[in-house]
mmCIF file of all heavy atoms in Angstrom:
data_model
loop_
_atom_site.group_PDB
_atom_site.id
_atom_site.type_symbol
_atom_site.label_atom_id
_atom_site.label_comp_id
_atom_site.label_asym_id
_atom_site.label_seq_id
_atom_site.Cartn_x
_atom_site.Cartn_y
_atom_site.Cartn_z
ATOM 1 N N GLN A 91 -42.167 -10.619 -137.022
ATOM 2 C CA GLN A 91 -42.177 -11.584 -138.146
ATOM 3 C C GLN A 91 -42.573 -10.899 -139.453
ATOM 4 O O GLN A 91 -42.039 -11.236 -140.512
ATOM 5 C CB GLN A 91 -43.100 -12.748 -137.820
ATOM 6 C CG GLN A 91 -42.464 -13.639 -136.743
ATOM 7 C CD GLN A 91 -43.368 -14.749 -136.271
ATOM 8 O OE1 GLN A 91 -43.356 -15.850 -136.805
ATOM 9 N NE2 GLN A 91 -44.178 -14.456 -135.266
ATOM 10 N N GLU A 92 -43.489 -9.949 -139.390
ATOM 11 C CA GLU A 92 -43.846 -9.199 -140.608
ATOM 12 C C GLU A 92 -42.621 -8.484 -141.182
ATOM 13 O O GLU A 92 -42.550 -8.223 -142.372
ATOM 14 C CB GLU A 92 -44.932 -8.159 -140.296
ATOM 15 C CG GLU A 92 -46.323 -8.747 -140.188
ATOM 16 C CD GLU A 92 -47.331 -7.767 -139.609
ATOM 17 O OE1 GLU A 92 -46.943 -6.683 -139.102
ATOM 18 O OE2 GLU A 92 -48.524 -8.091 -139.638
ATOM 19 N N ASN A 93 -41.686 -8.148 -140.301
ATOM 20 C CA ASN A 93 -40.478 -7.446 -140.739
ATOM 21 C C ASN A 93 -39.316 -8.402 -141.012
ATOM 22 O O ASN A 93 -38.165 -7.968 -141.111
ATOM 23 C CB ASN A 93 -40.085 -6.389 -139.701
ATOM 24 C CG ASN A 93 -40.967 -5.152 -139.816
ATOM 25 O OD1 ASN A 93 -40.718 -4.285 -140.642
ATOM 26 N ND2 ASN A 93 -42.046 -5.092 -139.031
ATOM 27 N N GLY A 94 -39.630 -9.693 -141.093
ATOM 28 C CA GLY A 94 -38.635 -10.675 -141.513
ATOM 29 C C GLY A 94 -37.693 -11.151 -140.418
ATOM 30 O O GLY A 94 -36.672 -11.778 -140.716
ATOM 31 N N TYR A 95 -38.016 -10.896 -139.177
ATOM 32 C CA TYR A 95 -37.150 -11.355 -138.074
ATOM 33 C C TYR A 95 -37.371 -12.841 -137.812
ATOM 34 O O TYR A 95 -38.463 -13.365 -138.029
ATOM 35 C CB TYR A 95 -37.441 -10.546 -136.796
ATOM 36 C CG TYR A 95 -36.782 -9.191 -136.807
ATOM 37 C CD1 TYR A 95 -37.206 -8.196 -137.688
ATOM 38 C CD2 TYR A 95 -35.720 -8.900 -135.966
ATOM 39 C CE1 TYR A 95 -36.589 -6.953 -137.721
ATOM 40 C CE2 TYR A 95 -35.093 -7.661 -135.985
ATOM 41 C CZ TYR A 95 -35.532 -6.695 -136.869
ATOM 42 O OH TYR A 95 -34.912 -5.473 -136.895
ATOM 43 N N HIS A 96 -36.333 -13.501 -137.306
ATOM 44 C CA HIS A 96 -36.405 -14.914 -136.943
ATOM 45 C C HIS A 96 -36.961 -14.990 -135.512
ATOM 46 O O HIS A 96 -36.287 -14.574 -134.564
ATOM 47 C CB HIS A 96 -34.980 -15.481 -137.015
ATOM 48 C CG HIS A 96 -34.904 -16.942 -136.745
ATOM 49 N ND1 HIS A 96 -35.400 -17.546 -135.615
ATOM 50 C CD2 HIS A 96 -34.387 -17.955 -137.491
ATOM 51 C CE1 HIS A 96 -35.181 -18.834 -135.660
ATOM 52 N NE2 HIS A 96 -34.566 -19.113 -136.797
ATOM 53 N N VAL A 97 -38.189 -15.493 -135.375
ATOM 54 C CA VAL A 97 -38.852 -15.453 -134.060
ATOM 55 C C VAL A 97 -39.513 -16.794 -133.759
ATOM 56 O O VAL A 97 -40.276 -17.311 -134.582
ATOM 57 C CB VAL A 97 -39.983 -14.378 -134.042
ATOM 58 C CG1 VAL A 97 -40.576 -14.235 -132.636
ATOM 59 C CG2 VAL A 97 -39.488 -13.036 -134.545
ATOM 60 N N SER A 98 -39.248 -17.375 -132.585
ATOM 61 C CA SER A 98 -40.094 -18.483 -132.129
ATOM 62 C C SER A 98 -40.979 -17.926 -131.016
ATOM 63 O O SER A 98 -40.568 -17.018 -130.280
ATOM 64 C CB SER A 98 -39.259 -19.672 -131.662
ATOM 65 O OG SER A 98 -38.371 -19.256 -130.665
ATOM 66 N N VAL A 99 -42.184 -18.445 -130.949
ATOM 67 C CA VAL A 99 -43.158 -17.904 -129.986
ATOM 68 C C VAL A 99 -43.660 -19.049 -129.117
ATOM 69 O O VAL A 99 -44.137 -20.062 -129.627
ATOM 70 C CB VAL A 99 -44.335 -17.232 -130.740
ATOM 71 C CG1 VAL A 99 -45.346 -16.661 -129.750
ATOM 72 C CG2 VAL A 99 -43.807 -16.127 -131.652
ATOM 73 N N CYS A 100 -43.519 -18.902 -127.804
ATOM 74 C CA CYS A 100 -43.985 -19.933 -126.870
ATOM 75 C C CYS A 100 -44.998 -19.331 -125.913
ATOM 76 O O CYS A 100 -44.745 -18.285 -125.291
ATOM 77 C CB CYS A 100 -42.833 -20.473 -126.028
ATOM 78 S SG CYS A 100 -41.549 -21.283 -126.955
ATOM 79 N N VAL A 101 -46.121 -20.012 -125.782
ATOM 80 C CA VAL A 101 -47.191 -19.542 -124.899
ATOM 81 C C VAL A 101 -47.205 -20.423 -123.655
ATOM 82 O O VAL A 101 -47.130 -21.648 -123.759
ATOM 83 C CB VAL A 101 -48.535 -19.583 -125.662
ATOM 84 C CG1 VAL A 101 -49.687 -19.216 -124.747
ATOM 85 C CG2 VAL A 101 -48.480 -18.620 -126.858
ATOM 86 N N ILE A 102 -47.282 -19.797 -122.490
ATOM 87 C CA ILE A 102 -47.213 -20.577 -121.232
ATOM 88 C C ILE A 102 -48.555 -21.276 -120.941
ATOM 89 O O ILE A 102 -48.563 -22.474 -120.718
ATOM 90 C CB ILE A 102 -46.818 -19.688 -120.015
ATOM 91 C CG1 ILE A 102 -45.687 -18.722 -120.340
ATOM 92 C CG2 ILE A 102 -46.535 -20.540 -118.774
ATOM 93 C CD1 ILE A 102 -44.382 -19.299 -120.753
#
Side-chain angles (χ1 to χ4, degrees):
Q91 288 175 91
E92 282 168 350
N93 282 277
Y95 281 69
H96 183 305
V97 186
S98 56
V99 180
C100 298
V101 175
I102 317 299

